[in-house]
Every structure is written in C-alpha cells, then in structure tokens.
Amino acid sequence: MLLENKVAVIYGAGGRIGRAVARTFAREGAEVFLAGRTRTALDDVADEIRSAGGTAVTTRLDARDEKDVNAFVDGVAGRAGRVDISFNLIGYGAAHKLPKPSAGLSAAEFARPVPTAATWSHFLTTGAAARHMAVHGSGVILALGGPSPTSAAGPGGFDVALHALEGLRRQWATQLDRYGIRVVTLKTGDGDAIASIGETGTGEVGRGADVEETQPLSLTATPADIAAAAALVAADRARATASATVNVSCGALVDL
C-alpha cells in the first residue's frame, strides 16, 4: 500500500473530490482525519472507510478559522503521533460562471475567492501541518487548483485566486524543503472541478467547456483520478516530486 502507516489530514473531505481522496488514502493504508463544515457528509465518508476496514476520524471545522485549525492539527498529532500529509480541498466560494465581466463586478464579488484560497485557508492549514512535520523531518502538503496557462481566464477573482495559490505554494516550498517537507499542487484544467471541490455529494464532476474545447484525449479526470494521483504524489516513493505542480488534466493542459 502506498500510504501504509501514514497520517493524513483532509480538509473539505465531505466534498466530491475530498470524498474520493479520503477513500483512496484510506485504501492505501493511511489513517485519515477528515475535516469539513458538514457533519453528515463527513460521517458518510467515514462510515464508507470503516466499512472497508480503514480508519477515519471526523471533525466539524471551518478551515478559515486559525484557532480551530491549529487546535485540530495539534489534536491529530497528539492522537496519532505525527502528521504526514495535509490536503486542503475546501471550496473557494467562487462564482466562476459569472454573467458579467470583471469590470462589472463589485470589489467584494471579485475578491471573494482570493483570501479563501490563499490566506484564510491554505496559509492556515499549511502552517499548522508544517509545524508538526518539521519535527519529524518529513511531510507532504497538497493543494488542488493550479492555474491554466493555456486557457482564457474567466471573469471574477477565481483565476486570480489560483495564481495566488501557486504563489503561496512556491513561497512555502522554498521555506519548508529544508525540513524535508514537499509542497505540491495538482491541477486539472477543469474550472468546474476546482470550483466544486467544496460541494457535497457523490456525483462525478463534469467536464468544463474549456476542457471540452482543448481535450486531446477521450478521457476526463474524475475525482477518483485526482485521488489516485494525490496518493502517488504523497507516497514516499515520490520523494523527488517537490515544489512542483502535477498535471492531472488528461492532456487538457499543456505544460509549456
């Protein structure tokens, strides 16, 4: 198993992609700690994992609350002894199909996704995990949502938020690599998939129009595909994959 004896923290675990990641990580041997704002969704995925013989613990949590995030991760480390993987999959609150161009939006409408993606979520969860990972000299921090260099940016702050997230990833990577901590972003090229990461439900994420127009393969990355890639990246055998983005777009994104 790729993640045997690993301790993984997953935020937004009740969402479509978070649910797939939680199941996959548990199936690969990780002890998973699931956080999110909807208790019933968390309990559903935890029950699935336990029924399959895995270990899952749930906590109702707003990943934008600094005090609660720190207390949650401290609790995980206290119970499990360490934190090996942290994957933030909360939604950004982005209306990525806005009918108006950016110039027609209010400042609040435009900016809504940016602080969630870069400041009040990923910054907090990364810092909380890194403090514990540094003690053990290893760890993996994952995010979803690298910007697409080959598709047109949509209105609003959604694409701006993705670029902010990448800037944060690069910053953390340069500071944490000395502690053996790898920071990696997975990108799908599917705005619908990224925008729906915090949504609850078991349905598959649909293919976005931007992907349909550029897709060179007959495949579309599903939540299960994203989860499988995340498990590979988080595994010790992928230790050379650090400070990077991993393309999980079935070729929709062309890395230039």
Side-chain angles (χ1 to χ4, degrees):
M1 293 187 286
L2 289 171
L3 305 178
E4 189 170 12
N5 299 322
K6 297 294 186 183
V7 177
V9 174
I10 303 168
Y11 300 90
R16 293 172 179 172
I17 296 176
R19 179 185 295 263
V21 169
R23 289 193 305 246
T24 299
F25 280 18
R27 188 170 61 247
E28 293 292 346
E31 180 179 4
V32 296
F33 289 81
L34 314 179
R37 292 189 293 176
T38 307
R39 168 68 70 179
T40 54
L42 294 174
D43 288 343
D44 285 346
V45 68
D47 287 343
E48 290 181 45
I49 289 170
R50 294 173 189 137
S51 296
T55 302
V57 179
T58 63
T59 299
R60 188 178 182 278
L61 174 76
D62 186 341
R64 298 168 299 177
D65 188 300
E66 184 172 10
K67 181 179 178 180
D68 286 353
V69 167
N70 287 331
F72 167 63
V73 178
D74 289 347
V76 171
R79 173 170 176 164
R82 58 190 298 127
V83 177
D84 298 301
I85 306 163
S86 177
F87 199 171
N88 188 322
L89 286 162
I90 77 162
Y92 299 156
H96 68 293
K97 292 184 177 178
L98 294 168
K100 298 180 288 185
S102 294
L105 301 174
S106 68
E109 287 175 318
F110 177 86
R112 186 180 302 118
V114 180
T116 299
T119 306
W120 293 119
S121 177
H122 283 276
F123 178 84
L124 298 180
T125 58
T126 297
R131 284 191 289 273
H132 292 281
M133 292 175 177
V135 173
H136 295 279
S138 66
V140 183
I141 293 170
L142 302 175
L144 179 69
S148 168
T150 57
S151 61
F158 184 69
D159 288 275
V160 175
L162 299 187
H163 282 279
L165 177 60
E166 275 303 279
L168 186 65
R169 191 267 303 165
R170 289 192 294 269
Q171 185 182 79
W172 276 118
T174 58
Q175 297 176 26
L176 298 179
D177 60 355
R178 71 192 69 178
Y179 301 106
I181 301 171
R182 299 188 285 120
V183 186
V184 179
T185 301
L186 288 82
K187 56 183 181 179
T188 70
D190 187 344
D192 286 344
I194 300 169
S196 67
I197 55 177
E199 294 179 2
T200 59
T202 57
E204 295 297 288
V205 175
R207 178 188 299 191
D210 55 337
V211 175
E212 287 181 343
E213 294 173 359
T214 60
Q215 188 76 12
L217 300 179
S218 59
L219 302 174
T220 302
T222 67
D225 292 324
I226 296 169
L232 288 171
V233 171
D236 287 342
R237 66 185 66 181
R239 65 181 185 175
T241 304
S243 185
T245 59
V246 173
N247 191 327
V248 194
S249 71
C250 295
L253 295 181
V254 179
D255 291 326
L256 302 177

